[in-house]
Amino acid sequence: MTDKSEQPEAVQEPMPEDNYYAKIVLVPIGRPDTAVQMLELAGELVHPTEGLVIALVVALGDTELANKVTGEVEETIENFRRAGEGHNVEMVTEIAVSISRGILDVARERNVDVIMLGVHQAARRQVKLGTVVENVIATAPCGVLIYRGSTSPSFNRVVIP
């Protein structure tokens, strides 16, 4: 009879880095004032060397408005690109019939791993998702991360269960 204490324990090898990160993270930019936080969080989720963050502006048939939002966000994206490891970021403008449809179309076309959506905190500290978030969650071809902005614009770590 063999003593169990003499048998070597199975050693679990750590998962490769590729399994910890998303390859493509889609960040719809609806408000330039929240773009910095959203892009920083996306930078933590995306693969450090092979990853791509897509900063998406969805225009509802009004290309002039889309150009205005894109112009406001371009500086933020350039700062994000230069920060840290020099993140790979692509700015995309999508013309769509609805915000939800634009997000979902780009997610499918680009084979996105994660869609990041921001939500607002209500006055009573309750979170209201809204129709865009609910529609995207219902039919997303990938994981959806919901981010609620905080009073502090910085974070030390990202934990996703």
Side-chain angles (χ1 to χ4, degrees):
M1 185 161 213
T2 312
D3 183 17
K4 289 186 179 182
S5 63
E6 293 176 14
Q7 292 179 357
E9 288 186 32
V11 178
Q12 282 190 328
E13 304 228 357
M15 292 173 47
E17 178 176 86
D18 294 348
N19 294 333
Y20 289 116
Y21 295 99
K23 295 284 187 191
I24 304 174
V25 177
L26 178 63
V27 181
I29 306 291
R31 296 178 34 208
D33 61 319
T34 61
V36 173
Q37 288 179 341
M38 298 289 285
L39 290 171
E40 284 178 3
L41 182 56
E44 295 296 322
L45 298 174
V46 73
H47 192 280
T49 56
E50 299 172 20
L52 171 66
V53 175
I54 299 174
L56 173 65
V57 174
V58 178
L60 302 177
D62 187 352
T63 54
E64 193 171 309
L65 179 61
N67 290 338
K68 181 182 178 209
V69 173
T70 301
E72 292 173 3
V73 174
E74 279 179 341
E75 183 179 345
T76 301
I77 290 173
E78 277 307 311
N79 291 339
F80 173 71
R81 195 176 274 138
R82 286 189 297 258
E85 298 86 36
H87 300 291
N88 186 14
V89 185
E90 182 180 334
M91 182 79 174
V92 173
T93 302
E94 178 78 6
I95 308 295
V97 296
S98 72
I99 301 295
S100 304
R101 177 59 35 217
I103 294 168
L104 292 166
D105 287 348
V106 172
R108 286 186 185 100
E109 290 167 9
R110 302 297 294 272
N111 199 24
V112 168
D113 296 310
V114 176
I115 300 170
M116 278 187 50
L117 298 173
V119 295
H120 304 283
Q121 186 172 11
R124 293 185 188 164
R125 299 186 123 347
Q126 297 173 346
V127 176
K128 185 173 183 177
L129 294 181
T131 57
V132 171
V133 174
E134 290 173 358
N135 290 339
V136 170
I137 289 172
T139 58
C142 60
V144 178
L145 184 130
I146 308 298
Y147 174 74
R148 181 190 63 168
S150 67
T151 54
S152 169
S154 63
F155 54 87
N156 295 326
R157 62 184 176 159
V158 177
V159 179
I160 300 176

